[in-house]
């Protein structure tokens, strides 16, 4: 780990312009050159914005209004380090302010400085061995875990030694839709036809005289109630379970946190880990279904449950889209994508809404609007 890296390759301005003309997205920060071709489609500001900066010096855009980036965004850039511009050739691009060069191009984290010849994601300060499964390593990070897990990287994560366990820990986005959409349709039909029989009454366990009949026409409203309740549950789970801060001394809670959600914050663009695998999801759903059956008449509980299940499918599809989709600027989804990216890169202790920001308002965890005006 302590061996010196090979000297960085030098690139001429003509070579950079040629690569950009061929479709590559190369940008520079002072003399340091970065290849963002693989990231361009995922850029929260949109592919067009990032490609418009191809071949230019982005140092001012990193820390100048209205596009001041977070420290995590600057660290993220270093993963795509390609080499150095040849001496003097950087003058072929628009000159920028050099006053903040150390903060933008060299600082790593915690006061550690990056030599220009190193690729940040290979530095020993990564604290873990990326060539081995991470799940059994993270618990040993102790007090360093919380900071480490909230410094995102763009690389796939392996959790388990076992190829079988590793396979089932990953899920393609369309699997969630293929598995659960038919279940939603079938249970909706069962709920509606059961209510149509006319023998479902609310409060019948307390009083038969004043119990309230639940007609089949109420099903859409009960379904929407289930979706509404899911949105609240989504917020509470995300905030209090997924974003709990495990005790530094507890190896098992750190490991559990990383398995549940920490892995997603460490590698937010690992496409195979953006949705919940169906097997563990079914166990969680069975738990909540049981609670609803204890609280409500059987058919009514099923109707609320299927609405919540639909809300979950929408949530998982939305979450994947917020990471990999390219919504049009100015649309609701564009704003939601920017909001979620803020949560990942800078405001990990707020902005817990994914399919909606509604619950961030009453619980006062809304990401301040002014950060969207001053930062990108």
């Amino acid at each position: 780990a302590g061996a010196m890296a090979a000297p960085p390759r030098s690139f001429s301005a003509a070579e950079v312009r040629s690569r950009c003309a061929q479709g590559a997205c190369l940008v520079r920060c002072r003399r340091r050159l970065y290849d963002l071709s693989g990231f361009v489609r995922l850029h929260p500001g949109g592919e067009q914005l990032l490609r418009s900066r191809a071949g230019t010096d982005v140092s001012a855009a990193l820390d100048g209004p209205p596009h001041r980036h977070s420290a995590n965004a600057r660290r993220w850039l270093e993963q795509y380090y390609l080499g150095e511009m040849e001496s003097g050739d950087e003058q072929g691009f628009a000159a920028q302010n050099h006053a903040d060069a150390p903060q933008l191009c060299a600082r790593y984290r915690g006061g550690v400085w990056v030599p220009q010849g190193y690729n940040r994601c290979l530095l020993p300060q990564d604290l873990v061995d990326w060539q081995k499964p991470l799940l059994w390593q993270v618990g040993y990070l102790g007090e360093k875990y919380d900071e480490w897990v909230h410094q995102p990287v763009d690389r796939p994560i392996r959790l388990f030694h076992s190829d079988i366990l590793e396979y089932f820990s990953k899920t393609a986005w369309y699997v969630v839709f293929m598995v659960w959409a038919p279940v939603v349709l079938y249970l909706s039909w069962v709920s509606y036809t059961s209510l149509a029989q006319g023998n479902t009454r609310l409060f019948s366990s307390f009083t038969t005289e004043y119990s309230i009949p639940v007609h089949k026409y109420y099903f859409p409203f009960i379904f929407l109630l289930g979706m509404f309740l899911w949105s609240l549950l989504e917020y509470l789970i995300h905030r209090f379970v997924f974003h709990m801060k495990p005790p530094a001394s507890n190896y098992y809670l750190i490991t559990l946190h990383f398995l549940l959600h920490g892995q997603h914050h460490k590698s937010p663009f690992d496409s195979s880990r953006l949705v919940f695998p169906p097997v563990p999801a079914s166990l969680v759903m069975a738990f909540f279904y049981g609670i609803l059956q204890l609280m409500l008449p059987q058919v009514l509980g099923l109707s609320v449950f299927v609405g919540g299940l639909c809300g979950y499918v929408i949530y998982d599809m939305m979450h994947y889209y917020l990471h990999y989709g390219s919504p049009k600027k100015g649309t609701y989804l564009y704003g939601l994508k920017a909001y979620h990216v803020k949560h990942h890169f800078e405001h990990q202790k707020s902005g817990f809404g994914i399919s909606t920001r509604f619950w961030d308002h009453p619980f006062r965890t809304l990401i301040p609007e002014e950060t969207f005006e001053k930062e990108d």
Side-chain angles (χ1 to χ4, degrees):
M4 290 297 294
R9 181 186 168 186
S10 295
F11 293 82
S12 67
E15 184 177 0
V16 171
R17 283 192 290 267
S18 174
R19 287 196 177 198
C20 290
Q22 295 172 11
C25 185
L26 307 184
V27 300
R28 71 177 183 87
C29 181
R30 312 305 182 268
R31 288 185 58 194
R32 293 173 67 79
L33 191 65
Y34 303 89
D35 185 355
L36 303 183
S37 304
F39 177 67
V40 64
R41 190 175 66 84
L42 306 176
H43 184 247
E47 180 175 347
Q48 185 176 3
L49 173 63
L50 191 54
R51 286 200 178 276
S52 70
R53 291 173 177 165
T56 67
D57 187 341
V58 298
S59 54
L62 283 171
D63 204 34
H67 299 298
R68 186 171 65 83
H69 287 67
S70 67
N72 268 335
R74 300 171 190 176
R75 281 190 286 264
W76 184 268
L77 177 66
E78 284 301 320
Q79 298 173 105
Y80 309 110
Y81 174 66
L82 191 62
E84 303 287 313
M85 293 291 298
E86 290 180 357
S87 181
D89 267 9
E90 69 271 16
Q91 300 303 320
F93 298 94
Q96 303 287 356
N97 175 24
H98 289 249
D100 54 5
Q103 286 74 27
L104 296 179
C105 301
R107 185 178 291 278
Y108 179 50
R109 65 174 175 80
V112 179
W113 293 86
V114 178
Q116 286 196 340
Y118 282 93
N119 183 326
R120 170 164 291 124
C121 63
L122 300 180
L123 287 175
Q125 287 88 350
D126 258 339
L127 304 179
V128 295
D129 184 350
W130 285 88
Q131 304 304 315
K132 299 178 181 179
L134 296 189
L135 189 61
W136 316 119
Q137 299 183 58
V138 295
Y140 295 110
L141 296 181
E143 61 184 14
K144 298 178 181 179
Y145 170 75
D146 190 65
E147 179 187 8
W148 174 84
V149 82
H150 288 114
Q151 291 179 345
V153 297
D154 186 11
R155 60 191 304 171
I157 284 178
R158 184 178 179 96
L159 291 178
F160 300 99
H161 290 280
S162 167
D163 290 337
I164 296 176
L165 288 177
E166 184 67 11
Y167 175 80
F168 283 105
S169 72
K170 298 180 177 182
T171 309
W173 69 269
Y174 53 83
V175 171
V176 171
F177 186 82
M178 290 175 61
V179 169
W180 296 116
V183 176
V184 170
L185 292 174
Y186 174 72
L187 293 183
S188 295
W189 177 80
V190 170
S191 299
Y192 180 80
T193 54
S194 297
L195 289 174
Q197 295 177 10
N199 53 13
T200 301
R201 304 183 72 88
L202 193 60
F203 305 125
S204 59
S205 59
F206 299 104
T207 171
T208 55
E209 185 177 357
Y210 297 104
S211 61
I212 302 174
V214 182
H215 299 289
K216 62 181 181 181
Y217 308 108
Y218 294 166
F219 174 73
F221 303 101
I222 301 171
F223 186 94
L224 290 175
L225 174 63
M227 293 185 66
F228 180 77
L229 292 176
W230 160 255
S231 70
L232 173 59
L233 188 61
E234 167 202 324
Y235 174 90
L236 295 175
I237 292 175
H238 191 188
R239 179 179 178 181
F240 295 108
V241 179
F242 290 170
H243 279 272
M244 68 172 179
K245 186 175 180 179
S249 59
N250 196 314
Y251 171 91
Y252 297 102
L253 278 182
I254 292 176
T255 302
L256 178 62
H257 178 270
F258 189 72
L259 179 65
L260 289 176
H261 197 60
Q263 55 168 311
H264 174 54
H265 268 261
K266 189 61 184 174
S267 184
F269 293 106
D270 187 340
S271 61
S272 65
R273 301 189 186 279
L274 284 175
V275 295
F276 209 40
V279 173
S282 63
L283 299 178
V284 176
M285 292 172 188
F287 171 77
F288 287 113
Y289 175 75
I291 291 178
L292 288 171
Q293 289 299 302
L294 290 174
M295 296 175 60
L296 298 169
Q298 183 178 5
V299 178
L300 198 57
L302 180 62
S303 301
V304 173
F305 173 78
V306 71
L309 182 58
C310 182
Y312 159 72
V313 174
I314 293 173
Y315 151 81
D316 243 357
M317 297 299 95
M318 180 79 76
H319 186 216
Y320 185 90
Y321 184 78
L322 294 185
H323 281 266
Y324 272 84
S326 299
K328 186 178 179 181
K329 190 172 183 178
T331 62
Y332 172 76
L333 289 178
Y334 181 90
L336 203 57
K337 179 182 176 74
Y339 188 79
H340 190 58
V341 169
K342 283 286 184 184
H343 167 73
H344 270 279
F345 281 83
E346 188 167 8
H347 297 276
Q348 293 95 349
K349 303 303 180 184
S350 57
F352 299 106
I354 293 179
S355 55
T356 175
R357 287 183 264 185
F358 175 82
W359 293 108
D360 280 315
H361 288 274
F363 286 104
R364 299 187 177 184
T365 54
L366 194 71
I367 296 176
E369 285 292 332
E370 55 266 24
T371 63
F372 294 90
E373 299 171 3
K374 298 178 181 178
E375 307 174 39
D376 190 21

